[in-house]
Amino acid sequence: MKAIRVLGLTKSYKSETNIVAVNNLSFEVEEGQVFCLLGPNGAGKTTTIRILNTLLKKDKGQIYFFNIDLDKKPQDIKNIIGVVQQHTNVDSELTVWENLLIHSMLHKMNKMLFKERANQLLEAIDMIDKKNRFANKLSGGERRKLSIIRALLHNPKIIFLDEPTVGLDTFTRRSIWENIKQLKYSGKTIILTTHYIEEAQMLSDLVLIINKGKKLIEETPNTLINRLGKVTLEYQENGKTIYKFFNTNQEAKDFSVNLKDLNSILIRETNLEDVFVTMTGNGGEDYCNSLEKCFP
Ligand SMILES: Nc1ncnc2c1ncn2[C@@H]1O[C@H](COP(=O)(O)OP(=O)(O)OP(=O)(O)O)[C@@H](O)[C@H]1O
């Protein structure tokens, strides 16, 4: 079953430059998938997510969550989604428990169910010992965990995670990855945006790469990597690192024997970051806007 269907989504900001932030974007997400939206700065990811989260109005297009039309039943949609925003927005003046209680009241949860779920989630996400601590006395990672617990409290079917691990240390990041995997195994649909391509490669079933508000490609991480070439050859030429992609190690080796600077050669597995950089251009320049150009 399709958890989300987005058809021809378009949004402009009426600023001095009249930017088309999202331009006729269409995509579908299967129930139970981890779906990752990738794109360079300013690509339109946050705008797309904010529209899906009912926080921003679109100009054009249709959005369905489990066949429910967002335009017709926004409240129904709010009840089936949980949102972890990019900037953690927990209430610093309240304790962890009080933050969760307020959220349960907004979702009209019954008290018994609230207590049971809140304790369960605090336990699962390793925050039970912080239950009575004021949010302003939590570390950045703990605040992020609180916002994840809060987003899950009303048992949403679809969870939006906008850069869930930004600024977190390796241990906290791994523990959040583990939580995301557990959510997927429990059948939740997850929409992830991240600038950590390694995170996208590890967690996602499907990746949608956008640039300048437009869809470039939508594939599984492995398909994207295979299309580019499983093997990457890196070498130096005129003071620049050149990347070339091949289907096999042997092809990369055969190519490398004719290179001048043999010391600079590195042959390694291609990763999703190589795909991302190839498709969206390096350093924000030289954008690749056609699939033919990226994947001849
Ligand atoms: N409130 C706004 N008013 C005017 N322009 C905006 C506004 N918000 C975003 N934009 C512009 O819309 C475009 C898309 O921005 P958006 O925040 O959706 O991108 P993003 O992919 O989330 O970027 P980042 O990775 O940097 O967070 C950018 O050109 C941005 O400057």
Side-chain angles (χ1 to χ4, degrees):
M1 170 144 197
K2 302 279 179 242
I4 304 176
R5 272 191 305 139
V6 174
L7 305 167
L9 183 65
T10 301
K11 170 77 186 173
S12 301
Y13 289 107
K14 309 279 179 270
S15 58
E16 64 285 358
T17 43
N18 232 353
I19 290 161
V20 186
V22 181
N23 195 345
N24 198 22
L25 187 65
S26 300
F27 61 90
E28 292 182 342
V29 182
E30 280 293 333
E31 184 175 13
Q33 260 187 347
V34 178
F35 180 90
C36 184
L37 194 53
L38 287 181
N41 289 132
K45 303 177 298 291
T46 304
T47 304
T48 304
I49 297 294
R50 284 178 62 80
I51 295 170
L52 295 180
N53 293 168
T54 74
L55 299 170
L56 190 66
K57 281 215 172 324
K58 59 186 165 55
D59 297 339
K60 269 198 249 165
Q62 283 104 47
I63 299 167
Y64 301 92
F65 287 81
F66 293 106
N67 290 332
I68 305 169
D69 187 338
L70 179 87
D71 288 337
K72 294 192 180 137
K73 296 191 171 165
Q75 193 51 50
D76 287 13
I77 304 286
K78 279 181 196 161
N79 289 334
I80 59 169
I81 65 172
V83 179
V84 179
Q85 292 188 34
Q86 200 175 107
H87 303 289
T88 311
N89 60 345
V90 297
D91 193 328
S92 316
E93 307 296 314
L94 300 179
T95 65
V96 166
W97 190 257
E98 288 164 346
N99 264 286
L100 298 177
L101 181 62
I102 299 269
H103 184 84
S104 78
M105 287 156 79
L106 287 173
H107 282 273
K108 302 189 172 64
M109 285 176 74
N110 107 13
K111 266 194 183 150
M112 287 295 287
L113 181 66
F114 158 64
K115 277 190 186 166
E116 191 187 317
R117 261 195 80 72
N119 279 315
Q120 236 173 35
L121 287 164
L122 285 163
E123 199 73 67
I125 299 187
D126 202 18
M127 284 283 285
I128 195 78
D129 57 331
K130 311 280 175 351
K131 188 170 165 173
N132 296 315
R133 194 177 284 187
F134 282 96
N136 60 8
K137 298 276 190 297
L138 297 173
S139 73
E142 290 162 350
R143 270 201 294 275
R144 189 60 54 87
K145 284 185 176 183
L146 171 56
S147 62
I148 293 176
I149 294 171
R150 190 181 56 181
L152 297 177
L153 195 60
H154 58 289
N155 203 12
K157 288 182 172 175
I158 302 175
I159 299 138
F160 287 88
L161 298 168
D162 197 0
E163 304 210 24
T165 62
V166 72
L168 302 182
D169 71 32
T170 312
F171 295 104
T172 316
R173 177 171 300 167
R174 287 201 171 195
S175 108
I176 288 182
W177 287 348
E178 192 50 40
N179 295 143
I180 294 173
K181 285 183 195 163
Q182 293 310 323
L183 286 171
K184 176 187 155 65
Y185 297 140
S186 72
K188 305 285 183 198
T189 305
I190 296 164
I191 316 300
L192 175 72
T193 67
T194 180
H195 283 293
Y196 300 118
I197 313 286
E198 177 204 2
E199 180 166 290
Q201 183 172 348
M202 191 183 351
L203 297 173
S204 315
D205 296 304
L206 206 62
V207 172
L208 169 63
I209 303 183
I210 63 170
N211 195 10
K212 298 179 180 171
K214 286 188 176 167
K215 176 167 165 174
L216 291 182
I217 201 161
E218 186 183 358
E219 291 281 10
T220 67
N222 272 344
T223 308
L224 286 170
I225 289 167
N226 289 341
R227 284 179 70 168
L228 192 61
K230 274 184 274 193
V231 180
T232 298
L233 166 68
E234 286 183 32
Y235 60 95
Q236 296 290 314
E237 198 172 83
N238 303 325
K240 257 182 85 179
T241 306
I242 309 291
Y243 300 84
K244 284 213 173 283
F245 306 101
F246 300 89
N247 289 324
T248 63
N249 257 315
Q250 194 55 50
E251 285 174 30
K253 276 184 192 155
D254 290 348
F255 182 92
S256 69
V257 290
N258 298 318
L259 294 171
K260 280 186 213 143
D261 183 359
L262 292 178
N263 286 331
S264 74
I265 291 169
L266 171 69
I267 295 177
R268 59 167 174 81
E269 280 183 10
T270 302
N271 55 45
L272 193 59
E273 190 163 300
D274 297 311
V275 175
F276 181 78
V277 171
T278 306
M279 293 211 66
T280 61
N282 206 346
E285 289 173 11
D286 186 25
Y287 283 119
C288 173
N289 281 321
S290 75
L291 295 185
E292 288 72 28
K293 197 170 150 203
C294 292
F295 297 117

